[in-house]
Amino acid sequence: MKPTPLPLNHFLPGSSRLVLGCMSLGGPWDAQDIGEADIAQAHAALEAAQSIGITVFDHADIYKRGRAERCFGALLRRQPSLRDGIILQSKCGIRFADDAGPGRYDLSAKHIMASVQASLERLGTEYLDLLLLHRPDPLMEPEEIAEAFRQLQSRGQVRHFGVSNMQASQMRWLQRALDQPLVANQLEMSLGKLDWLAQDASFNDGQSGTALPWAGTLQHCQAEGVQLQAWSPLAQGRFSGAAAADDRIAQAGTALVRELADQHQVSPESIVLAWLLRHPAGIQPVIGSSQPERIRACGAATQVQLSREDWYRLFVSARGQALP
Ligand SMILES: NC(=O)c1ccc[n+]([C@@H]2O[C@H](COP(=O)([O-])OP(=O)(O)OC[C@H]3O[C@@H](n4cnc5c(N)ncnc54)[C@H](OP(=O)(O)O)[C@@H]3O)[C@@H](O)[C@H]2O)c1
């Protein structure tokens, strides 16, 4: 049965236009445990996010090997009322190398169920608002995934389901087996990662060979009411202060971002995000900073309406190549 499309950006009531990505919480990747300093950092990031209206928090079972979720869980345990006002999403399906095998993807029902159970325990919550399949697994079987989703939903452990890093054909294939609509797809999109636009801006221009992998993914998501989320939307600061000295494209892009930031009287981060927000697909940027100041600097993004011309100036500058 064809799922009823949900209206864009209303995939979960109360969802904010920006999302806080929690991958950087929980200390260094090789730390053994979390300490008070990590919890304090998570608290400061959460407060900064809430101060700019963020209600959605993005996790994954693997972030800091579970310590990012544990930090966030510590906040929820200390202040249980926090849970009511936020939307929690997590991901499963990537496994690090272990005694059983190499680093791998695993969308078996057994792994999905075990991963969600562990995320819920770490986060100290009874349910996830949204579960994303982190990456496509060449061995995935839609019927098996459908059964896992059915069980997770009937137990009240997950309310909605989505994917990450999947293209339209994979989503269609998966959706045919599912009872629930896929409500989100999280993909890397930013001024520093432009292949998602190549299909629309460069198709048949005789220069770009990169259009195929996206293969209608943006259009599929828009047509089916699937919320697009952009990971690494700040391109890790490449256009807002962290450009390498020898990165000529980033240097030029940074100068343009600064010019527009001055013009709109906002931070460079807000311009970089406003560029994504200006796209008609209704993209939700998942910002990854853990610094309260940088998180707050993102807040004005939703108030900036870039002109068509300025959107193209940024696009062409970051592309490093004129259009057409
Ligand atoms: N679905 C997926 O496969 C996938 C993959 C990767 C990430 N994600 C999600 O997306 C979120 C965002 O990813 P991200 O962290 O790569 O994205 P990002 O928002 O593009 O970058 C944030 C990172 O860049 C640093 N940064 C930003 N501006 C900077 C500047 N001007 N100078 C120096 N450093 C700067 C931040 O450091 P500070 O902390 O110091 O601000 C932070 O480490 C993650 O938290 C995660 O939730 C999903």
Side-chain angles (χ1 to χ4, degrees):
M1 195 180 75
K2 194 170 160 24
T4 315
L6 300 172
L8 265 178
N9 206 33
H10 293 293
F11 77 125
L12 300 180
S15 160
S16 51
R17 198 65 212 283
L18 300 181
V19 175
L20 184 72
C22 296
M23 186 172 70
S24 59
L25 306 182
W29 277 93
D30 57 359
Q32 294 302 311
D33 207 350
I34 55 168
E36 273 307 316
D38 301 315
I39 296 170
Q41 180 203 38
H43 187 238
L46 173 94
E47 277 195 338
Q50 290 188 314
S51 78
I52 59 165
I54 288 181
T55 57
V56 187
F57 296 86
D58 180 70
H59 286 271
D61 53 358
I62 57 165
Y63 292 164
K64 304 290 171 61
R65 299 183 180 272
R67 291 193 314 281
E69 288 183 334
R70 281 177 57 206
C71 270
F72 208 88
L75 302 181
L76 289 174
R77 285 187 178 90
R78 286 174 190 187
Q79 200 186 327
S81 61
L82 258 181
R83 181 67 185 96
D84 299 335
I86 63 172
I87 291 170
L88 267 185
Q89 56 182 60
S90 194
K91 315 183 200 75
C92 66
I94 298 180
R95 300 184 75 154
F96 294 125
D98 54 20
D99 292 344
R104 58 203 183 274
Y105 304 138
D106 190 346
L107 294 181
S108 64
K110 188 175 166 208
H111 180 69
I112 292 172
M113 302 292 295
S115 164
V116 169
Q117 186 60 44
S119 284
L120 293 177
E121 282 164 20
R122 285 190 293 263
L123 285 164
T125 183
E126 285 173 6
Y127 67 95
L128 294 175
D129 295 282
L130 176 60
L131 175 71
L132 302 179
L133 302 179
H134 210 151
R135 283 199 165 270
D137 165 11
L139 301 182
M140 67 186 177
E141 298 186 31
E143 286 71 22
E144 191 184 347
I145 294 172
E147 182 50 32
F149 283 9
R150 223 172 272 134
Q151 285 196 41
L152 289 168
Q153 198 169 48
S154 70
R155 290 179 191 175
Q157 291 181 316
V158 177
R159 297 195 169 167
H160 301 275
F161 299 89
V163 296
S164 178
N165 303 305
M166 282 202 199
Q167 57 170 288
S169 58
Q170 292 163 324
M171 295 177 75
R172 277 192 217 100
W173 181 56
L174 190 55
Q175 186 64 77
R176 280 166 53 127
L178 300 178
D179 299 336
Q180 311 83 356
L182 292 170
V183 300
N185 188 6
Q186 191 178 111
L187 299 148
E188 186 179 8
M189 296 182 272
S190 71
L191 275 172
K193 170 87 164 38
L194 294 168
D195 56 352
W196 57 286
L197 289 169
Q199 172 176 297
D200 298 321
S202 313
F203 177 62
N204 209 21
D205 70 356
Q207 301 170 43
S208 314
T210 56
L212 257 187
W214 277 77
T217 300
L218 283 193
Q219 288 74 12
H220 171 78
C221 290
Q222 289 177 85
E224 296 298 320
V226 177
Q227 176 66 53
L228 284 153
Q229 297 186 331
W231 60 267
S232 294
L234 293 170
Q236 271 121 21
R238 191 171 160 226
F239 297 92
S240 51
D246 60 352
D247 184 345
R248 285 193 10 249
I249 288 184
Q251 295 288 350
T254 302
L256 179 53
V257 165
R258 283 216 183 101
E259 179 194 320
L260 293 170
D262 288 347
Q263 197 181 310
H264 289 268
Q265 301 201 323
V266 297
S267 65
E269 284 83 357
S270 284
I271 295 296
V272 169
L273 297 174
W275 182 79
L276 277 174
L277 296 175
R278 175 66 175 79
H279 191 277
I283 296 164
Q284 238 182 346
V286 184
I287 59 171
S289 177
S290 58
Q291 305 298 326
E293 254 179 52
R294 206 178 328 271
I295 294 170
R296 281 192 284 270
C298 296
T302 53
Q303 287 140 42
V304 176
Q305 177 69 9
L306 287 177
S307 68
R308 177 172 274 275
E309 288 67 31
D310 285 341
W311 188 88
Y312 269 99
R313 284 171 76 203
L314 285 164
F315 178 35
V316 170
S317 169
R319 202 172 175 259
Q321 195 181 8
L323 289 167

